[in-house]
Amino acid sequence: MTAHATNEMAISDRLDQLAESAQGETVSLDWIMRQLHERAFGLFLLVLALPCCIPFLYGIPQIVALPLMFVSAQILMGRNSPWLPDRLAARTVSADGLQNLAQRAGPWLRRIEAFSRPRQAQLTRAPLDRVVGLALVLFSASILVPLPGTNTVPGFAVVLVSMGLLQRDGILTIIGMVLGTAWIATLIIAGATLASVIKGWLGL
């Protein structure tokens, strides 16, 4: 398949193709990144973020959150293609897990694809994509917070932003950024409130 044909394939179908091409019991993040060709930034972010959308899932979000943050930082820095250091690139996911992810995410991705279309595309290109990169770094940091349910909302925000970048849909990108920013603001307010309550209990 040519790179152009790969680019024209629907995102949900591309994820299915990626899962079907996985061989062996596990695949590395480096292998996944190399399969995605020139759409690697958006698709790689999407693949990393999708497991984070599963509520109360522990372990996997923390495995993918650091690579997710690393790749997001590269968008902020203006790189044209993603890169992972060997230590992060060597992290693996199970082939069965990748296939299960494609099956579970497929219907939702197709719904987003039906809604999405190219609009306000300047928001998905340089220099405005640097702002998107900064937001993605913050959302990835939120996923790393080891508290119940903290990965789901920012994970879904990254999925929306990734789909927006892939579809050249600035509106979808903004929706994802607003959702993720609102979640981080909620965490900050909740943390400040909890700290205030604890200080009151301790009489500080």
Side-chain angles (χ1 to χ4, degrees):
M1 178 177 295
T2 65
H4 176 73
T6 300
N7 244 4
E8 294 299 321
M9 183 180 294
I11 298 167
S12 53
D13 292 337
R14 185 68 187 90
L15 183 60
D16 287 337
Q17 184 189 66
L18 176 68
E20 291 171 0
S21 62
Q23 298 180 352
E25 294 184 358
T26 63
V27 294
S28 68
L29 295 184
D30 179 65
W31 178 87
I32 292 174
M33 189 165 56
R34 285 187 284 107
Q35 304 306 305
L36 301 179
H37 306 293
E38 67 274 8
R39 294 178 77 173
F41 258 128
L43 273 173
F44 195 49
L45 287 170
L46 181 67
V47 171
L48 292 176
L50 281 172
C52 301
C53 297
I54 302 174
F56 304 106
L57 177 68
Y58 303 106
I60 294 179
Q62 285 66 43
I63 290 174
V64 300
L66 191 57
L68 185 63
M69 183 185 298
F70 196 86
V71 172
S72 299
Q74 293 174 54
I75 297 178
L76 174 61
M77 293 185 293
R79 281 184 60 92
N80 293 322
S81 58
W83 169 81
L84 288 177
D86 292 342
R87 191 169 182 177
L88 292 181
R91 293 188 177 187
T92 60
V93 296
S94 71
D96 287 344
L98 188 60
Q99 292 170 356
N100 184 51
L101 179 65
Q103 291 173 357
R104 295 180 63 177
W108 295 100
L109 292 180
R110 281 186 277 275
R111 288 188 180 94
I112 297 175
E113 286 170 338
F115 163 79
S116 179
R117 63 182 184 275
R119 50 192 169 179
Q120 301 297 322
Q122 69 272 16
L123 298 174
T124 67
R125 297 193 294 259
L128 294 180
D129 62 344
R130 305 288 184 92
V131 179
V132 176
L134 176 59
L136 289 171
V137 170
L138 296 176
F139 302 163
S140 303
S142 174
I143 294 171
L144 281 170
V145 176
L147 293 174
T150 54
N151 55 279
T152 306
V153 176
F156 188 58
V158 176
V159 167
L160 291 178
V161 172
S162 302
M163 292 287 285
L165 293 175
L166 287 165
Q167 302 285 74
R168 298 291 183 231
D169 187 344
I171 301 301
L172 188 59
T173 300
I174 289 175
I175 292 173
M177 291 175 65
V178 169
L179 176 63
T181 302
W183 172 251
I184 290 177
T186 301
L187 285 182
I188 293 174
I189 293 171
T193 302
L194 179 60
S196 177
V197 170
I198 292 176
K199 286 182 179 181
W201 284 345
L202 298 177
L204 298 178

